Amino acid sequence: MAILAALLAVLFGAGAVHASTPQADRTIRATPSASRGPDAAPPAPQASCTARNVSHYDAWTGRTWPRDWVCGNRAGAPLYGCASFIAACPVIGWIDTSSSWFVCWGRGAWHNGGNNVWYYTMGDRVAPGQEVQHAWGFIPAVDVWTSTDPWPGMTECNIP
């Protein structure tokens, strides 16, 4: 009987889906930063990124990115409308996870990481009033756990 109970727990517990109602000021990301599905890559070790052949449609630019890189990052880090801290590039959202996917890198403003490299991804939450960008934005490299910037082999964005 104990074996049957354990088997049922594995069968029904592993596939359980828990839904929650998002807070009024949050937009939940349709595609999680680092999906934990059966085909997902394991979280990248700190200070490195793992390349995957996973495509993402970017509703902000209208582009489809054919590959991503899963990297460790600072949970709660803000995403900016462009690779800068200027007023024209406000915070457009946040990354809530500590392991996320990034589709490319670009050069922008210098930041506390000692360089001007920024990584581009889709955030987990959209800032109020910034819905038009669909949570796609830039995060300074200081908030992405890489041993070198830009990460070798990652695509350069060429996004203004």
Side-chain angles (χ1 to χ4, degrees), residues 4-160:
L4 179 59
L7 180 58
L8 289 173
V10 169
L11 288 174
F12 294 105
V17 176
H18 300 284
S20 62
T21 304
Q23 295 176 8
D25 63 340
R26 288 179 53 147
T27 299
I28 303 300
R29 178 185 195 147
T31 306
S33 295
S35 172
R36 303 306 308 153
D39 296 329
Q46 189 164 340
S48 71
C49 300
T50 302
R52 306 183 307 174
N53 289 321
V54 175
S55 67
H56 301 278
Y57 176 71
D58 177 354
W60 174 241
T61 65
R63 219 171 142 173
T64 296
W65 301 95
R67 193 169 195 203
D68 71 13
W69 287 259
V70 177
C71 311
N73 59 267
R74 181 171 68 88
L79 289 173
Y80 295 85
C82 62
S84 182
F85 300 111
I86 63 174
C89 299
V91 171
I92 58 89
W94 296 270
I95 294 178
D96 293 327
T97 60
S98 60
S99 180
S100 303
W101 52 260
F102 301 89
V103 295
C104 63
W105 65 272
R107 297 219 182 259
W110 283 81
H111 51 75
N112 290 340
N115 64 44
N116 65 347
V117 174
W118 293 62
Y119 293 98
Y120 188 66
T121 190
M122 182 183 186
D124 296 304
R125 288 184 290 139
V126 176
Q130 298 299 322
E131 293 81 8
V132 69
Q133 205 148 336
H134 304 281
W136 283 89
F138 289 90
I139 180 174
V142 68
D143 291 330
V144 181
W145 312 146
T146 53
S147 56
T148 187
D149 296 304
W151 185 253
M154 188 180 289
T155 305
E156 187 171 0
C157 293
N158 298 319
I159 298 173

